[in-house]
Structure formats: C-alpha cells, structure tokens
Amino acid sequence: GLIELMARYRATPEMFFHRLSELMPTHLGVREMYFQRFNGDPARSTARLTKVLNMSRVPVPHGVGPGEHYCRRWLSLRLLSPDTTPAAPAAITGTVGGTTEVVAAQRSRFIDHDETFLVLTVGRPLALTAGGSSSVTLGFLMDDHLRRTIRFHGDPAVPELDVNLTCERCRLTPAECADRAAPPILYEAEQQRERIETRIESLRSDR
C-alpha cells in the first residue's frame, strides 16, 4: 500500500504525492488532478489550507474568506484530527520513520459542478507543533480515461460523498448533510440576489 511505499523510499507524504503527480501524467496519462495540504490545530478546532495546486478544469478546494468553514466531508479534514472532524471510514494506519500515518481513499462529488474525484489522503501529526496534525491530498478527476486506467475506482470499499467548498456556500440541507458546521448564509444571500434580479427583469419585461 501507500504506507509501505513511503516507508521503502523514506518519503514524507508530501514528497510522495509530489512525485506521484509527476509520474501519473507521463506514465498513465492521468493529467487532471489537484493537490492540497491542510494543517490542523486541535486546541483551536481549526483547519488551515497551506498549499493547493489545481491541475484540473474543476475549481476544487481553494482559499476562502475569513470565518468560512471548509466542507467537513473533505477527506483532508477527516484525517486531520478525530477531535475536530469525523473519522474517515476504511482508513489504514501505519508507521513511516517512526511517525504514525493514516491513509484513506474517497470518491468526492463536487455538487455544484457534477464532477467526481478519486481522492487519496495521508494524515500525520506535525513534528514541530504539539498536538498539531497535517494532511496531504491528491485528487484525480474521474473521467473515462481514469476509469479505464485505475481499476479500483469503483471499489465499494471506497466511500462516495457529495462535497462542496464551504458550509456557508453549500445548498445541501441538514437532512442531506449531517456534517454541516455552519448555516448556508452565503448560498442564501446569492439565492436572494438572484430572486431580486429575476423580479427586476420581470418588471422590465412587463413595461
């Protein structure tokens, strides 16, 4: 598995995923992907996006406004800290260079774009921050080429979840998402703006 490969080559998760992102396009023809790294602080129950590189056509996770809550269904957050986020199902734990690391996979469907990514994430404690943790993620856009190339993409052991950018921007109701951490205030504001614009346009048409 991934943990055994990282241990064999004495690579950190970030080093390993960086190299994997270089090999996938060249050797497997998989080019649409994204990389991200989160740092977590359990004392403050916060997650901070520290690195992101999007090589796909889908506007996947990126920096957002202050105070917004990243989608708790991202595997990146699920592997940060069991104290602040839901645990990831079917996660595998191992040791690399004396550090305990957790690996998991997920199919994440971005509901606003109707695109699904096969996501691999590794979580580990931060060596220089007491109680801190980090996670690195590599997500591959699930197009026809990927489905032909990566045969385990449809494995029932890999969970599939609807995800979004932040809770404030998400249209899923509490009944549809039990992981919501904040009300959809920005989504509702956008819907209100669209209703006003539609009403104004209707009034203009009636003249």
Side-chain angles (χ1 to χ4, degrees), residues 129-147:
T129 304
S133 57
S134 70
S135 68
V136 292
T137 294
L138 199 56
F140 306 100
L141 182 65
M142 291 185 60
D143 54 16
D144 291 339
H145 177 74
L146 181 133
R147 292 184 178 91

Side-chain angles (χ1 to χ4, degrees), residues 35 58 71 77-78 92 96 106 122 136 155 157-159 169:
F35 171 87
V58 181
C71 178
L77 299 190
R78 290 174 176 261
I92 299 172
V96 179
Q106 177 177 298
V122 180
V136 292
D155 190 328
V158 178
R169 300 171 188 267

Side-chain angles (χ1 to χ4, degrees), residues 121-133:
T121 297
V122 180
R124 67 194 313 234
L126 282 173
L128 301 179
T129 304
S133 57

Side-chain angles (χ1 to χ4, degrees), residues 20-33 55:
L20 192 60
S21 70
E22 293 178 323
L23 295 174
M24 293 291 284
T26 303
H27 295 279
L28 297 179
V30 176
R31 294 180 172 81
E32 296 211 54
M33 66 185 82
M55 295 172 280

Side-chain angles (χ1 to χ4, degrees), residues 17-191:
F17 277 176
H18 177 264
R19 184 58 176 149
L20 192 60
S21 70
E22 293 178 323
L23 295 174
M24 293 291 284
T26 303
H27 295 279
L28 297 179
V30 176
R31 294 180 172 81
E32 296 211 54
M33 66 185 82
Y34 73 87
F35 171 87
Q36 65 180 187
R37 174 191 168 113
F38 274 93
N39 285 353
D41 183 354
R44 299 181 180 179
S45 298
T46 58
R48 184 166 59 93
L49 182 63
T50 60
K51 290 185 181 181
V52 61
L53 175 62
N54 184 16
M55 295 172 280
S56 79
R57 61 179 178 271
V58 181
V60 293
H62 54 271
V64 297
E68 289 190 56
H69 297 74
Y70 286 108
C71 178
R72 277 5 188 204
R73 290 183 168 187
W74 290 355
L75 196 54
S76 305
L77 299 190
R78 290 174 176 261
L79 293 192
L80 268 183
S81 169
D83 296 328
T84 57
T85 56
I92 299 172
T93 302
T95 302
V96 179
T99 300
T100 300
E101 300 185 345
V102 183
V103 177
Q106 177 177 298
R107 289 187 296 273
S108 298
R109 187 176 77 89
F110 288 84
I111 58 175
D112 286 343
H113 305 283
D114 197 24
E115 297 283 5
T116 301
F117 284 78
L118 177 63
V119 176
L120 304 176
T121 297
V122 180
R124 67 194 313 234
L126 282 173
L128 301 179
T129 304
S133 57
S134 70
S135 68
V136 292
T137 294
L138 199 56
F140 306 100
L141 182 65
M142 291 185 60
D143 54 16
D144 291 339
H145 177 74
L146 181 133
R147 292 184 178 91
R148 292 192 301 267
T149 304
I150 301 180
R151 296 183 180 180
F152 68 84
H153 73 272
D155 190 328
V158 178
E160 180 168 333
L161 291 175
D162 288 340
V163 302
N164 212 321
L165 181 57
T166 68
C167 294
E168 287 81 357
R169 300 171 188 267
C170 185
R171 58 182 168 84
L172 293 180
T173 66
E176 295 171 316
C177 179
D179 300 317
R180 178 178 285 282
I185 55 175
L186 295 180
Y187 170 75
E188 291 174 349
E190 177 65 18
Q191 293 299 298

